[in-house]
Amino acid sequence: IETINWPELGWALFQLLLVAFFSQAKEPVCMQRGDTENPQLSRDGDIILGGMFSFHSSWNDRKDTYIQKPLPLQCTSDLLSTFSLTDLLPGVSLGYKMYDTCGSIAQSIKVALALMNGNQIIFTAPEAPCTKPAQVQAIIGETSSSPCMAIATVIGPFNIPMISHLATCACLSDKTKYPSFLRTIPSDYYQSRALVYLVKYFGWTWVGAIRTNDDYGNKGMATFTETAQQLGICLEYSVSFFRTDPYEKIQKIIDIIKASTSKVIVGFLSHFDMDVLLHEFSLNNLTGYQWVGSESWIFDSQTAKMDIHHILDGAIGLYIPKAHVTGLKEFMLNVKLLNSSNNDLFTEFWETLFSCKFKELKSTAENPRECTGHEDLTGVQNSFTDMSLMPMFNNVYKGVYAVAHALHNILNCNKTCEKNVQLDPLMRILKIYFKTKEGDEVYFDENGDPAAKYEIINWQPRKNGIVEFVTVGLYDASLPPGKQLTLQNNSLIWARNSKQVPVSVCSEKCPPGTRKVLQKGRPVCCYDCIRCAEGEISNITDSVTCLRCPPEFWSNERRDTCIKKEAVFLSYEEIMGALLTAASLFGTCMTTGVALIFFKYRKTPIVRANNSELSFLLLFSLTFCFLCSLTFIGQPSEWSCMLRHVAFGITFVLCISCVLGKTMVVLMAFRATRPGSNVQKWFGPTQQRLCVTSFTLIQLIMCIIWLTVSPPFPFKNFKEFKDKITLECALGTSVGYWAVLGYIGLLSVLCFIFAFLARKLPDNFNEAKFITFSMLIFCAVWITFIPAYVSSPGKFSVAVEIFAILASSFGLLICIFFPKCYIILLKPERNTKKNMMGKGAP
């Protein structure tokens, strides 16, 4: 007894006053009294429900000492009547029995088995006789999860409800293993998830974790880890610890934390383990970490007093919502009833409270001061009068009243009651719903758990060195997702007394325009940021992929936005298009002018000398050659794409056919002057017309086949420029295009060969020389056109093609017709038959 931890005994004392097992006695009497809105337990009961037990854990300085204090069953209701509870269980008194198991699972099982076997101490006072109690109806306790699991396993077959006020392990919600277990504190399933949401709220994705190596810590951290993985939070390390572990294991944990890069530590620890760990942290000067704590230590004033090195400053965590039990403090300070009901307990409590000894027990060696029994309690400040534990007291209060309501419902009657009532508190407790006098709702879900609500506590150091536990938010699991967590960020204080939220990430966030690439062999929170490729973007932070821009869009230099591409084509409005249009119209006008001159002077020798019919046909075809270049300018359409290539192919073949006809006429004319030659009859006007028609018809057939098989069509070229769309005409089939172009080239080469052969024929005006020059220019233009066309991008390739058309057309027009126009207009004296025959004066 001398090694008792007195704060824990104070807690045991409170349990003695409220916590109970229930059973039925004889001769129940029905009485209806009190407030039906908020019913309370009866004050003046005269029927005893005996066999009440409570299980409680305490931690002592000497681990080889524990307390077992079975208290005798009383036949009065003096202890509970001090609460002025007047409405529930009228005519019924509640007996109790209390045990301190000292946190020992073995001791807990021993007590439970003794209870099941009916090994109870029956005490009857002469002035208040009572009957032997029947079977136990309910248990209030234990404070730890592991002993609760053991006790619930033992009493499960007996279907006796066990209501714990502090056992939070989520495993106890398994009704297949623990069918009779209930609790008035939320399951760690909700606490673990709430801690994850709290960590996620502040953007901490790289954290460490320390847990108590028991069911409470291991199960709670397992749920935390699973939920953290779902929300993208990584644990750099997760270590277990128990207060009895050897120093080497504790030092290993210290080394792991020192080597880590995370700045946030999640502590799923009991306050006993936290105290031991805090001492080791102080010795190793491990400060500056942001702690996130579970309810078992985050509100513990003793832990706060031990933190003299400010290791836990700014810690944040979850705790049971603040509560108030009316009259509890006044009851704690009124121990006269305790003295009258149990002198031994009063004596021990009083000596502990005032550090004295009563006269008959006085020991001058240890306690020189003598207890009088009349010491003043109003100024006492210690763990017995510390109302910061009120939420825990409230949980016990709810558990007792849950059983009371269940029994009240069973025993409730209108006029008469059954004398032998078969109690079934478990089923009744699972179905109850009531409000306490303070307005708190009490009910249990199908797993025997209450509604999960937590206050978010922040450790805020004050100037006097005292830590204040400030409520900065609330977590309510009953609300819809997204609204469960509410925080007051402006009132938070962080590690090192900072007001800036700490940063704890393995890798910085990837900005828009980049994507995450995981680092090999490391968790998913550790990654590198790779810039998106050309044509791809990521417009959000921490993107895992880059999205390709649609073809009509392009990515800017930052790779965070798709910008609509500008459609470009050779238009009439731009300078290059306007110049080419002007050149085309100018060539058309020149050709028309030459045709008018030739028409006016059509009867002159120089016009008639070289087949005026072919000359006019050549001028007609050159006009269309100049005009067809206009079809290449402007936005491509389905009709313009087909027209431009067909018009180009046919008009140029017609033009070259005329030139070829004129060349052959010149060449054959001199051949026909030889004696015995009949060549001239094969190259008369009819043959010339037939030749031109045949050559042109071949080209026309090839164009029809091209248009039928795979005609040219408008095409959007997205690859030419990253920020522009080039509108152009696709060839459909390149075979058709190059066949048309090759046929023009073939006729040009034949024409050049014939003109070259006839260049030295005797004549005052040898047209073959000028045709040779014109075809030389024509071939040179189109030979250079091929590489220029292939290498020119976008609309410039169209401009190259137009330039080749205009250049070759101007070459033919100038070389063939300008010398004749010069003679017609400026040298009319040379425009005579004699001069054309070479017989005129020089």
Side-chain angles (χ1 to χ4, degrees):
I1 299 299
E2 295 176 357
T3 59
I4 295 173
N5 187 294
W6 295 114
E8 294 298 335
L9 182 59
W11 175 235
L13 175 63
F14 179 71
Q15 284 190 301
L16 168 65
L17 302 176
L18 285 184
V19 186
F21 284 179
F22 303 85
S23 66
Q24 182 186 10
K26 295 180 180 180
E27 301 296 333
V29 178
C30 295
M31 300 172 65
Q32 183 65 43
R33 295 185 296 178
D35 182 10
T36 57
E37 187 69 24
N38 292 291
Q40 303 294 309
L41 289 174
S42 173
R43 170 195 286 268
D44 301 321
D46 53 9
I47 299 298
I48 300 173
L49 294 179
M52 294 177 284
F53 279 74
S54 169
F55 294 91
H56 171 68
S57 299
S58 67
W59 179 253
N60 302 309
D61 295 332
R62 289 179 55 190
K63 299 179 175 56
D64 59 346
T65 303
Y66 69 90
I67 307 166
Q68 179 180 350
K69 294 187 69 64
L71 301 179
L73 176 66
Q74 302 301 310
C75 296
T76 66
S77 60
D78 291 337
L79 293 179
L80 292 178
S81 66
T82 58
F83 282 97
S84 299
L85 308 177
T86 60
D87 307 308
L88 283 177
L89 298 173
V92 176
S93 294
L94 304 178
Y96 66 89
K97 184 168 286 191
M98 182 185 75
Y99 280 94
D100 183 356
T101 62
C102 303
S104 170
I105 297 178
Q107 184 65 21
S108 300
I109 296 176
K110 178 181 178 181
V111 172
L113 290 174
L115 176 64
M116 296 301 102
N117 291 327
N119 297 330
Q120 306 173 44
I121 300 174
I122 306 301
F123 174 83
T124 58
E127 65 275 11
C130 61
T131 59
K132 184 176 180 179
Q135 67 180 44
V136 173
Q137 297 302 314
I139 299 174
I140 308 295
E142 246 252 23
T143 57
S144 300
S145 296
S146 295
C148 279
M149 294 168 64
I151 297 171
T153 303
V154 170
I155 69 173
F158 298 93
N159 206 34
I160 298 176
M162 175 182 182
I163 304 178
S164 174
H165 54 282
L166 278 181
T168 58
C169 180
C171 55
L172 287 165
S173 297
D174 187 353
K175 295 296 101 177
T176 59
K177 293 183 179 179
Y178 314 105
S180 61
F181 179 83
L182 305 97
R183 51 185 155 197
T184 53
I185 188 171
S187 163
D188 279 338
Y189 171 80
Y190 300 103
Q191 181 182 196
S192 300
R193 292 175 64 86
L195 288 174
V196 176
Y197 293 138
L198 192 63
V199 170
K200 183 69 174 179
Y201 180 87
F202 295 110
W204 302 326
T205 58
W206 188 239
V207 300
I210 306 177
R211 68 186 184 275
T212 295
N213 192 14
D214 61 5
D215 294 305
Y216 168 74
N218 293 330
K219 302 287 186 181
M221 187 54 65
T223 303
F224 179 92
T225 304
E226 180 183 357
T227 309
Q229 291 176 349
Q230 296 171 359
L231 296 183
I233 298 172
C234 301
L235 297 184
E236 184 179 11
Y237 58 88
S238 180
V239 293
S240 61
F241 162 75
F242 198 74
R243 51 189 175 272
T244 58
D245 285 342
Y247 174 78
E248 291 76 13
K249 184 172 182 180
I250 300 176
Q251 187 59 44
K252 186 177 180 181
I253 293 175
I254 298 295
D255 295 338
I256 291 173
I257 296 174
K258 285 182 176 180
S260 66
T261 58
S262 59
K263 299 300 179 183
V264 175
I265 302 176
V266 178
F268 219 98
L269 300 158
S270 69
H271 68 277
F272 303 122
D273 297 318
M274 190 69 214
D275 293 345
V276 176
L277 199 63
L278 186 61
H279 176 71
E280 297 299 328
F281 269 62
S282 300
L283 294 178
N284 289 270
N285 195 27
L286 284 178
T287 61
Y289 290 92
Q290 178 60 49
W291 283 84
V292 179
S294 59
E295 46 79 27
S296 58
W297 67 266
I298 198 64
F299 204 78
D300 190 84
S301 57
Q302 296 298 325
T303 303
K305 289 179 182 178
M306 290 182 59
D307 188 21
I308 59 176
H309 295 281
H310 304 284
I311 292 173
L312 300 178
D313 281 2
I316 190 170
L318 306 176
Y319 194 64
I320 308 166
K322 290 184 176 63
H324 176 71
V325 180
T326 305
L328 177 60
K329 185 172 183 180
E330 292 76 12
F331 172 74
M332 294 293 288
L333 297 177
N334 185 3
V335 293
K336 292 182 179 179
L337 291 175
L338 180 63
N339 187 22
S340 64
S341 62
N342 191 313
N343 188 63
D344 292 338
L345 185 59
F346 168 78
T347 300
E348 188 173 343
F349 169 69
W350 199 264
E351 290 177 345
T352 303
L353 192 62
F354 293 102
S355 299
C356 62
K357 284 287 184 178
F358 284 99
K359 184 176 181 180
E360 62 273 13
L361 300 174
K362 183 177 178 181
S363 173
T364 55
E366 297 183 4
N367 292 294
R369 195 164 66 85
E370 182 179 342
C371 296
T372 66
H374 300 286
E375 283 81 1
D376 185 12
L377 287 168
T378 57
V380 176
Q381 294 292 334
N382 55 25
S383 58
F384 294 106
T385 60
D386 182 9
M387 291 297 103
S388 65
L389 298 176
M390 185 69 79
M392 299 183 192
F393 300 162
N394 191 45
N395 285 346
V396 180
Y397 178 79
K398 290 178 180 178
V400 171
Y401 267 90
V403 176
H405 273 273
L407 293 176
H408 181 79
N409 292 339
I410 293 173
L411 299 175
N412 190 24
C413 60
N414 295 324
K415 295 181 179 179
T416 59
C417 288
E418 295 286 342
K419 290 189 176 182
N420 296 315
V421 179
Q422 183 62 39
L423 305 181
D424 188 8
L426 177 60
M427 295 307 297
R428 292 284 184 172
I429 294 174
L430 286 172
K431 296 178 181 180
I432 64 151
Y433 173 87
F434 67 93
K435 287 186 178 181
T436 65
K437 193 171 183 179
E438 289 72 29
D440 296 337
E441 295 180 334
V442 180
Y443 61 90
F444 301 95
D445 63 15
E446 64 276 8
N447 295 321
D449 295 328
K453 292 183 181 179
Y454 298 95
E455 285 185 357
I456 300 172
I457 304 298
N458 183 215
W459 284 36
Q460 298 189 2
R462 301 309 180 196
K463 292 182 179 179
N464 55 7
I466 298 176
V467 173
E468 183 178 353
F469 303 123
V470 180
T471 300
V472 294
L474 179 69
Y475 178 84
D476 189 347
S478 63
L479 296 177
K483 297 182 179 180
Q484 296 175 343
L485 183 65
T486 55
L487 274 167
Q488 302 168 2
N489 291 355
N490 55 349
S491 61
L492 285 165
I493 292 180
W494 304 103
R496 300 185 186 275
N497 206 20
S498 171
K499 294 204 179 275
Q500 190 70 28
V501 180
V503 177
S504 185
V505 295
C506 183
S507 301
E508 293 294 332
K509 291 184 177 181
C510 289
T514 61
R515 63 182 178 90
K516 296 196 297 187
V517 176
L518 298 182
Q519 296 176 359
K520 188 175 182 180
R522 303 200 68 188
V524 294
C525 298
C526 302
Y527 48 81
D528 298 315
C529 299
I530 306 298
R531 192 183 185 193
C532 293
E534 179 66 35
E536 297 180 343
I537 66 160
S538 64
N539 55 6
I540 59 173
T541 302
D542 274 349
S543 175
V544 295
T545 58
C546 290
L547 303 176
R548 178 164 293 278
C549 287
E552 293 81 5
F553 295 81
W554 64 287
S555 59
N556 59 4
E557 291 299 324
R558 294 186 302 176
R559 304 290 197 270
D560 62 349
T561 309
C562 287
I563 302 175
K564 190 171 180 62
K565 292 182 178 181
E566 178 189 2
V568 294
F569 54 90
L570 187 60
S571 65
Y572 296 100
E573 289 79 10
E574 58 182 300
I575 296 177
M576 184 167 57
L579 290 176
L580 292 175
T581 300
S584 176
L585 295 177
F586 179 69
T588 303
C589 293
M590 286 180 60
T591 306
T592 304
V594 171
L596 293 175
I597 292 173
F598 266 54
F599 182 77
K600 182 178 180 180
Y601 297 96
R602 64 185 179 279
K603 294 183 179 180
T604 58
I606 197 169
V607 175
R608 298 178 62 186
N610 298 102
N611 195 332
S612 58
E613 185 177 343
L614 286 179
S615 296
F616 282 110
L617 187 58
L618 178 58
L619 289 171
F620 175 78
S621 62
L622 282 175
T623 302
F624 278 98
C625 286
F626 283 115
L627 291 176
C628 78
S629 63
L630 297 178
T631 61
F632 288 83
I633 304 175
Q635 182 173 347
S637 64
E638 187 175 352
W639 285 103
S640 65
C641 288
M642 291 189 292
L643 179 63
R644 67 173 59 172
H645 291 95
V646 171
F648 161 71
I650 295 175
T651 54
F652 262 78
V653 166
L654 179 61
C655 182
I656 299 300
S657 299
C658 293
V659 175
L660 183 60
K662 292 173 70 66
T663 306
M664 294 176 65
V665 168
V666 173
L667 184 63
M668 294 301 116
F670 284 93
R671 298 276 181 138
T673 57
R674 295 178 182 179
S677 176
N678 59 351
V679 176
Q680 188 173 1
K681 69 177 181 178
W682 296 102
F683 284 93
T686 303
Q687 286 76 15
Q688 293 174 13
R689 296 189 195 99
L690 184 60
C691 182
V692 170
T693 303
S694 300
F695 287 148
T696 306
L697 185 61
I698 293 173
Q699 182 74 310
L700 180 61
I701 293 173
M702 285 195 297
C703 288
I704 292 174
I705 294 174
W706 182 17
L707 295 178
T708 304
V709 175
S710 181
F713 57 91
F715 170 69
K716 293 180 179 180
N717 190 339
F718 299 107
K719 298 181 180 179
E720 199 73 48
F721 302 99
K722 69 175 184 179
D723 58 344
K724 296 177 182 179
I725 302 174
T726 304
L727 303 181
E728 55 188 37
C729 287
L731 298 177
T733 172
S734 57
V735 176
Y737 176 75
W738 291 110
V740 169
L741 201 62
Y743 183 64
I744 295 174
L746 177 62
L747 294 181
S748 302
V749 170
L750 290 175
C751 186
F752 175 76
I753 293 173
F754 288 154
F756 184 79
L757 294 175
R759 71 187 187 285
K760 294 183 179 180
L761 294 177
D763 191 0
N764 193 33
F765 183 81
N766 189 357
E767 193 179 33
K769 294 180 181 180
F770 301 109
I771 293 176
T772 302
F773 284 122
S774 65
M775 297 312 300
L776 186 63
I777 294 173
F778 186 92
C779 292
V781 166
W782 286 100
I783 289 173
T784 56
F785 158 77
I786 296 174
Y789 178 82
V790 173
S791 60
S792 297
K795 63 182 180 180
F796 297 102
S797 63
V798 180
V800 168
E801 191 168 2
I802 294 175
F803 179 80
I805 293 172
L806 294 179
S808 56
S809 299
F810 275 113
L812 291 174
L813 179 65
I814 293 172
C815 291
I816 294 176
F817 292 99
F818 270 34
K820 296 179 181 180
C821 291
Y822 173 76
I823 294 175
I824 292 173
L825 298 177
L826 300 178
K827 299 292 183 178
E829 66 276 8
R830 295 175 57 183
N831 191 8
T832 61
K833 187 175 180 179
K834 291 182 178 181
N835 189 65
M836 293 299 296
M837 297 297 294
K839 298 178 180 179

